[in-house]
Amino acid sequence: MNIIVCIKRVPLTQEVDLEIDELRKGVKKDALAYVINDWDNYAIEEAVLLQEKFGGTVTAITIGDEDDEEILRRALAMGADKSIRIEAGERELDGFTISKILAKTIRDLDYDLIMTGVQADDDNAAMVGIMLAEELGLSHAAVVTGMEPEGNAATIRVELEGGMDEISKIKLPSLLTIQTGINDPRYVSIMGIRKARKKELVVINVEDLGLSEDDLAQRTMIEEVFLPPETEGAEMIEGDPSSVAGQIIQIMKEKGVSI
Amino acid sequence: MLPIHPVNDTYFGLPGYVFAWAIFIAGLSLFFYIIYKRSLLIRSGEADPRLASLARRLSGLFFYGIIQKRQPRYLWAGVIHIMIFWGFVVLGLRSIDLVTQGLNIPIFYPLMQTAFGSFYDTFKDLFELIVLGACVWAILRRALIRPERYRGSHQLEAYFVLGLISFLMLTDMFYEGSALLMDQSGHVKWLPASELAALILEGSEPRFLACTHAVSYWLHILAFFFFLNFLPLGKHFHIITALPNVFFKKLSRGSIKPARWDVEDIDELESIGVEKIEDFTWKHILDFYTCTECGRCSDNCPANTIGRPLSPKMLTIKLRDHCFDRAPLIRGKHGGAPKEDSQAMVGGIISNDEIWSCTTCGACEEECPVFVEYIDKIIDMRRHLIETSQNPKTFNKVLMHFEKTGNPFGKPAQKRADWIKEMEGTPVRVLREGDEVDVLFFVDSYGSYDPAAQAIASNIAAGFHIAGIDFGILGALEKDSGHQIRRMGEEGLFQLLLEENMETLNEIRFNRIVTTDPHAFNTLKNDYPGSLQVVHYTQFFADLIDNGSLKPLRPLEKGNIYTYHDPCYLGRHNGIYDAPRKLLRAIPDLKLVEMERSRDRSFCCGGGDVMLWHEIDQEEMRMAEKRMQMAKEAGANVIVTACPFCYIHFEDAIKTGGMEDEMRVVDLMGLLVSTLRD
Ligand code: SF4
Ligand code: SF4
């Protein structure tokens, strides 16, 4: 089974006091540390597990600059066989253009399955996976928490609202957006990542893909980015641990949480 | 020519010499064959340079090999061992004499006719009795007292060898004793062992005496060669390998071995760590051969004590058995393939839990009489587990945080110096590249971000301030020291952090580094390249008290009894036992008691690495809880420590153990600062 995994490098924002940039269209990024998007990490692991079990190849793809190659090498170290980076230069991209670029790149590749993370940790749009599937005319499923291939189909488990799960069959080739928790992604050591330099990493320039200017025109325009206004309502609970716990339970009960 | 000697007789129509030579040649050839086979595995081990510092090695050999300084740490067992060891040294000459007599090349015969010979005869006779006594004592100890630490050792082998040694003593006694009775010329020497035998044989017929004489000789020679060949088959190999093992012992403290000794750049390595037995260094394989199965390591191992699935002794025994399987005596390297492995070594024979149970506290290595190493081996196996993604999953995020943010919490580097904002009245300078400072205060990740450890760092800064020290911290420029990372087996990441820290340190001019925690202290001192001038805060402030720059004046609250817990990486790994005690003694009215396990026998709190992010399920109680019990038994109600990790573990243990009303933990710096201020 040949699998393509689309991945993205995102900033680590937990505990960071984000600051809005001068244009008020984004956040200041210079001091941020970047990591592989958590959802994508699960997607790679899932692809590698399937490849270990059923053979075939895993190809990791990202759009970005040279710094973003780090996550490709990480994917290669985890067990992917090949990787592709699409250099987009200074172009501003949104979910629509990203899915166009990815579709164009993937169209001629040989694959049975495409995986993406459900969403990316930066803007949480959760658009690219589904738009990409549409662009390629593939069957798709989102928020997948389990997958078992059978011939040219697969049984998949999908997480629904309200804590429900749905099990269904999907025909291959198809696209799945992978939910965290589907597996236990492996750790790859720094040495492992360095050694993955020996594996294939192809760089394609977005301008060479033959996309029209219309394809590359953003459909989502950010007007303004701002921090949520501080509101009333925070309540500091004080006291020793047992009385704090008691008060929290009291509040939860009042708000209708069944304990 | 010798006087009456059994080899002069004729046996089955052949002169005795023929038999003596046959036994000699067969015994020695077999012995060399076995040693050759055993050496194959050692030779296939990885490189490990152990020849530098010859003088230190020789002195180590003298004190720990010959004088056996570590033996009496277990008093009676040690005394017995020293008696037997010295017996072997003295009686070695006697054995060679007896063998060479039989070969009719009595090289020692002339020597034995001199005054030295007379003295030696008495001396060796005395030692025969001492060794015999020691063997009987050892057998009784094993059988009656049954020390717990022998559980899992090859007990039968121990009894058998003690019996064999006794047999060697007895045969020589009767050989000489019968000769005394047959020799009518009358002797003047005092020969206590031979005379004892003679007493038993007194009144026997001459024929019986002659027979006893001959049989004793032949049995002695046979037993001697049997013993020689039996040694390399089990734990008594140490009789041959212990002295070399002590000579080649690890001289540096606190450090972890590089991934490979003979390859500088780890990027050139196909894989790092130890997966199969040959991946160990030759010295580590020699360790396996040398272990005496005395169990002192496990007896002191905190992981073993609290019921984790790790016993260092058993780890060595299992790996020695595995060595013997991999390089069998029959059909070894040349005569066919070694036995097929039914089980992987790492993850099979040695379970992952065993490997992650170790806190690298060093208690085992401190105790081992023959200097078997554990920490480097365990780290090498961890390196393999990390490289093959077999680490506990809880490490994944932590390691990623270390890599991306330089701390285990994933907190932004920019917030690394946030703790100083809370320090009212104590300005703390945040250094920049190109700056100059007297004391570079290396706070490390816990001191920078963890609230409990931040308090310790603040107290240190306050101490500097009170003493008027020119000091500064690195703030966002500081990366985690990597102590934990290296000990978790993520060598590549450790190297990365080390490089980044070294770049920063090279850009700042300072006289010395002072650290919050013993782990950073240890790694900067022993794992980092060059020789950084680095001290732990206890050393630094002990010096200030010594030279009178600081004086604790304010007495403490009355009625408390304090005990000091030696952190492994301050004490055992770096030998700093006195500086913290000096600080404690400088505090007016502080009542200090020592725990039974203190100084180099300190009991680990749970450790500052793996334990922070991985729980070993199989555990009867927390190490820290055990330690708190020990503090209580010593009569203390306050345990003082000088390490943030000890502090955190003890604080936890007091809560989980329900000891809030009886016990308290304080950091030494907090205690000190509270006596410096009004
Ligand atoms: S270093 Fe400590 S925990 Fe590890 S094996 Fe030795 S005594 Fe046990
Ligand atoms: S390793 Fe050392 S202390 Fe442990 S059983 Fe062997 S000889 Fe004894």
Side-chain angles (χ1 to χ4, degrees):
Chain A
M1 185 184 306
N2 296 331
I3 309 170
I4 290 170
V5 192
C6 306
I7 60 180
K8 186 179 189 185
R9 189 161 162 267
V10 297
L12 195 65
T13 49
Q14 61 167 23
E15 313 254 3
V16 179
D17 303 326
L18 287 174
E19 281 177 63
I20 308 299
D21 65 13
E22 279 76 40
L23 296 170
R24 305 193 61 78
K25 302 252 160 148
V27 295
K28 287 189 184 159
K29 300 197 181 84
D30 36 342
L32 296 175
Y34 281 80
V35 294
I36 178 153
N37 174 37
D38 208 22
W39 281 269
D40 298 349
N41 203 27
Y42 286 89
I44 300 166
E45 178 69 28
E46 195 60 20
V48 171
L49 288 174
L50 288 170
Q51 180 240 38
E52 283 170 355
K53 219 160 145 191
F54 303 103
T57 61
V58 173
T59 307
I61 303 184
T62 193
I63 304 174
D65 58 21
E66 257 177 52
D67 287 341
D68 294 300
E69 287 183 3
E70 186 235 315
I71 59 164
L72 292 179
R73 278 195 293 274
R74 189 174 286 271
L76 292 170
M78 284 173 81
D81 306 276
K82 296 184 266 187
S83 63
I84 301 171
R85 172 170 72 85
I86 302 154
E87 172 66 60
E90 297 293 301
R91 278 184 189 277
E92 294 283 332
L93 302 174
D94 65 355
F96 173 81
T97 50
I98 289 174
S99 52
K100 281 279 182 197
I101 295 170
L102 288 175
K104 189 81 184 173
T105 312
I106 292 171
R107 187 156 287 143
D108 300 328
L109 300 178
D110 171 28
Y111 61 87
D112 307 293
L113 189 64
I114 299 175
M115 288 186 183
T116 68
V118 167
Q119 63 196 62
D121 213 7
D122 45 7
D123 49 21
N124 289 332
M127 296 195 293
V128 169
I130 304 308
M131 284 166 90
L132 174 60
E134 286 297 324
E135 196 65 35
L136 291 169
L138 295 176
S139 55
H140 54 77
V143 203
V144 173
T145 56
M147 132 108 198
E148 200 58 59
E150 287 168 31
N152 55 358
T155 309
I156 52 168
R157 176 189 286 268
V158 165
E159 191 179 299
L160 300 179
E161 287 77 8
M164 270 200 293
D165 276 359
E166 177 190 86
I167 290 179
S168 44
K169 252 203 171 117
I170 194 164
K171 259 219 165 109
L172 300 183
S174 65
L175 184 145
L176 308 177
T177 78
I178 301 298
Q179 173 66 316
T180 54
I182 185 172
N183 51 40
D184 253 331
R186 66 197 71 188
Y187 178 74
V188 282
S189 67
I190 297 293
M191 290 267 300
I193 295 173
R194 287 208 200 123
K195 258 182 272 155
R197 279 176 205 275
K198 289 190 199 125
K199 288 189 175 177
E200 183 180 313
L201 194 159
V202 180
V203 182
I204 300 173
N205 199 306
V206 76
E207 313 302 333
D208 300 338
L209 284 172
L211 288 163
S212 68
E213 269 313 307
D214 184 51
D215 287 340
L216 290 171
Q218 291 187 83
R219 300 299 198 267
T220 345
M221 253 59 82
I222 294 175
E223 285 296 319
E224 190 188 348
V225 173
F226 55 90
L227 291 167
E230 280 183 35
T231 52
E232 298 286 310
E235 186 185 340
M236 295 305 288
I237 301 172
E238 288 179 14
D240 62 72
S242 62
S243 88
V244 169
Q247 290 179 58
I248 292 174
I249 290 176
Q250 191 57 37
I251 295 169
M252 286 164 80
K253 277 190 184 147
E254 278 165 19
K255 304 272 177 202
V257 180
S258 55
I259 312 172
Chain B
M1 196 55 15
L2 297 165
I4 21 163
H5 198 288
V7 292
N8 292 332
D9 290 344
T10 314
Y11 305 88
F12 311 107
L14 288 170
Y17 302 118
V18 177
F19 292 99
W21 272 98
I23 295 170
F24 174 73
I25 291 171
L28 224 52
S29 322
L30 187 60
F31 176 69
F32 283 122
Y33 171 77
I34 297 174
I35 294 294
Y36 162 73
K37 283 288 185 177
R38 290 285 184 252
S39 73
L40 288 178
L41 203 58
I42 291 189
R43 281 191 286 153
S44 61
E46 290 292 343
D48 196 347
R50 299 266 180 167
L51 282 172
S53 320
L54 205 62
R56 274 180 76 194
R57 293 195 179 282
L58 289 171
S59 93
L61 182 64
F62 178 73
F63 286 110
Y64 297 105
I66 312 291
I67 307 276
Q68 310 218 315
K69 242 173 102 179
R70 278 190 174 179
Q71 280 292 349
R73 287 172 74 97
Y74 281 71
L75 189 61
W76 293 117
V79 168
I80 294 175
H81 191 272
I82 290 176
M83 283 162 67
I84 297 179
F85 171 77
W86 273 97
F88 273 47
V89 173
V90 171
L91 296 169
L93 181 60
R94 168 68 177 170
S95 292
I96 300 172
D97 184 29
L98 281 177
V99 171
T100 48
Q101 280 175 25
L103 304 178
N104 204 12
I105 35 172
I107 36 174
F108 293 109
Y109 188 68
L111 180 69
M112 290 302 162
Q113 304 312 306
T114 62
F116 169 79
S118 308
F119 168 74
Y120 179 75
D121 275 345
T122 302
F123 198 56
K124 70 106 179 119
D125 243 46
L126 205 60
F127 264 96
E128 275 179 3
L129 288 182
I130 291 176
V131 171
L132 194 59
C135 285
V136 173
W137 188 0
I139 290 172
L140 290 178
R141 254 189 96 251
R142 274 184 187 264
L144 302 178
I145 304 180
R146 296 169 182 263
E148 168 66 18
R149 63 191 167 93
Y150 294 141
R151 202 156 47 95
S153 303
H154 294 88
Q155 293 267 43
L156 274 182
E157 187 189 328
Y159 284 122
F160 178 68
V161 165
L162 286 169
L164 196 59
I165 298 171
S166 310
F167 185 74
L168 280 166
M169 299 303 118
L170 288 169
T171 45
D172 192 31
M173 281 166 66
F174 279 94
Y175 171 65
E176 285 279 302
S178 52
L180 281 185
L181 292 176
M182 289 189 293
D183 181 7
Q184 299 307 323
S185 60
H187 65 283
V188 284
K189 285 177 264 181
W190 180 52
L191 299 172
S194 315
E195 283 165 21
L196 184 66
L199 208 67
I200 294 166
L201 295 171
E202 190 93 73
S204 307
E205 285 176 31
R207 248 180 68 87
F208 179 74
L209 287 179
C211 189
T212 305
H213 188 62
V215 169
S216 297
Y217 179 80
W218 291 113
L219 284 179
H220 186 86
I221 298 294
L222 278 171
F224 174 81
F225 281 105
F226 174 80
F227 190 44
L228 191 64
N229 282 289
F230 184 74
L231 295 180
L233 304 184
K235 78 187 186 88
H236 291 88
F237 205 0
H238 79 266
I239 294 176
I240 296 162
T241 58
L243 291 180
N245 210 56
V246 171
F247 177 79
F248 291 123
K249 79 187 169 81
K250 181 174 178 171
L251 295 179
S252 60
R253 312 172 82 165
S255 62
I256 296 294
K257 73 178 269 292
R260 278 268 299 276
W261 281 103
D262 51 349
V263 181
E264 202 145 291
D265 185 1
I266 53 171
D267 285 342
E268 287 169 22
L269 292 173
E270 257 315 301
S271 63
I272 70 168
V274 163
E275 181 186 9
K276 48 189 197 318
I277 197 88
E278 294 87 352
D279 297 337
F280 281 116
T281 77
W282 66 266
K283 170 59 174 59
H284 288 167
I285 296 173
L286 186 65
D287 276 352
F288 298 139
Y289 288 167
T290 306
C291 173
T292 70
E293 301 184 8
C294 70
R296 295 174 185 219
C297 48
S298 298
D299 200 27
N300 285 277
C301 171
N304 184 53
T305 305
I306 61 156
R308 284 194 189 173
L310 166 68
S311 151
K313 177 187 78 175
M314 292 316 293
L315 183 129
T316 292
I317 292 181
K318 285 190 278 182
L319 289 177
R320 168 168 48 214
D321 289 348
H322 184 55
C323 282
F324 290 174
D325 282 351
R326 290 284 294 178
L329 292 179
I330 312 161
R331 290 189 344 124
K333 259 203 164 147
H334 301 294
K339 200 157 118 186
E340 263 313 302
D341 284 312
S342 45
Q343 217 180 2
M345 185 180 84
V346 173
I349 295 170
I350 307 298
S351 75
N352 291 8
D353 265 359
E354 229 169 319
I355 294 169
W356 296 116
S357 283
C358 173
T359 68
T360 71
C361 75
C364 49
E365 298 187 0
E366 189 73 28
E367 208 65 45
C368 178
V370 292
F371 290 83
V372 168
E373 290 155 27
Y374 281 99
I375 299 173
D376 277 340
K377 289 177 193 147
I378 286 173
I379 303 301
D380 258 342
M381 291 190 275
R382 287 181 182 172
R383 285 172 175 160
H384 169 70
L385 290 179
I386 288 270
E387 185 173 51
T388 49
S389 310
Q390 298 181 66
N391 52 290
K393 288 285 188 265
T394 44
F395 286 6
N396 293 13
K397 252 214 167 77
V398 176
L399 292 174
M400 184 265 276
H401 287 157
F402 270 118
E403 181 197 339
K404 298 294 178 184
T405 62
N407 69 76
F409 312 102
K411 300 208 177 181
Q414 289 70 27
K415 293 191 175 178
R416 207 171 170 98
D418 276 7
W419 62 276
I420 62 174
K421 291 184 195 152
E422 313 282 313
M423 298 214 41
E424 289 145 20
T426 309
V428 179
R429 187 170 146 211
V430 181
L431 300 167
R432 267 180 278 177
E433 288 178 1
D435 279 358
E436 205 175 325
V437 71
D438 177 21
V439 167
L440 190 152
F441 177 25
F442 198 97
V443 188
D444 217 354
S445 300
Y446 267 73
S448 301
Y449 297 103
D450 178 87
Q454 275 175 346
I456 302 172
S458 306
N459 283 324
I460 295 171
F464 286 142
H465 188 66
I466 295 168
I469 303 291
D470 168 31
F471 76 103
I473 63 168
L474 292 173
L477 291 178
E478 183 187 285
K479 294 271 154 51
D480 192 275
S481 68
H483 182 272
Q484 297 146 338
I485 297 296
R486 187 163 221 202
R487 280 147 192 84
M488 287 157 86
E490 188 16 329
E491 186 65 13
L493 186 50
F494 169 71
Q495 297 292 344
L496 205 74
L497 293 168
L498 177 150
E499 274 163 35
E500 291 179 22
N501 275 327
M502 281 313 286
E503 261 171 43
T504 306
L505 292 175
N506 285 334
E507 293 301 321
I508 290 169
R509 268 179 299 163
F510 57 87
N511 294 322
R512 55 222 147 133
I513 297 175
V514 175
T515 71
T516 319
D517 83 274
H519 297 253
F521 160 67
N522 178 72
T523 216
L524 291 173
K525 180 164 170 263
N526 301 317
D527 285 330
Y528 275 45
S531 25
L532 292 168
Q533 280 297 321
V534 43
V535 294
H536 182 249
Y537 81 74
T538 50
Q539 294 171 286
F540 185 84
F541 286 99
D543 281 352
L544 290 184
I545 296 222
D546 258 354
N547 66 26
S549 322
L550 273 187
K551 210 162 170 55
L553 291 172
R554 231 176 75 131
L556 295 165
E557 199 183 304
K558 291 252 174 343
N560 289 318
I561 301 176
Y562 294 80
T563 190
Y564 174 69
H565 162 79
D566 288 276
C568 307
Y569 275 94
L570 199 57
R572 257 189 308 267
H573 287 293
N574 288 290
I576 298 161
Y577 301 111
D578 295 327
R581 289 181 170 79
K582 187 179 280 174
L583 289 175
L584 286 166
R585 261 181 261 128
I587 295 174
D589 298 335
L590 184 142
K591 190 161 169 7
L592 184 69
V593 291
E594 289 285 358
M595 286 180 272
E596 195 186 311
R597 301 199 56 159
S598 67
R599 301 180 74 97
D600 62 1
R601 274 211 172 134
S602 182
F603 186 88
C604 183
C605 70
D609 32 74
V610 171
M611 167 76 177
L612 295 168
W613 303 292
H614 176 56
E615 302 250 339
I616 300 286
D617 294 333
Q618 190 188 328
E619 201 176 84
E620 282 150 21
M621 83 187 310
R622 293 284 175 130
M623 274 179 211
E625 268 178 46
K626 183 95 194 161
R627 189 56 167 163
M628 291 310 296
Q629 282 180 358
M630 295 180 191
K632 226 163 98 176
E633 277 159 25
N637 69 326
V638 186
I639 190 165
V640 187
T641 174
C643 167
F645 302 109
C646 300
Y647 183 90
I648 291 166
H649 288 316
F650 290 148
E651 214 183 24
D652 244 30
I654 290 174
K655 287 190 198 126
T656 55
M659 289 183 264
E660 284 107 324
D661 299 332
E662 316 157 73
M663 299 296 291
R664 217 154 41 86
V665 54
V666 294
D667 183 82
L668 183 44
M669 198 61 214
L671 201 60
L672 184 68
V673 165
S674 73
T675 64
L676 294 174
R677 284 194 177 131
D678 290 325

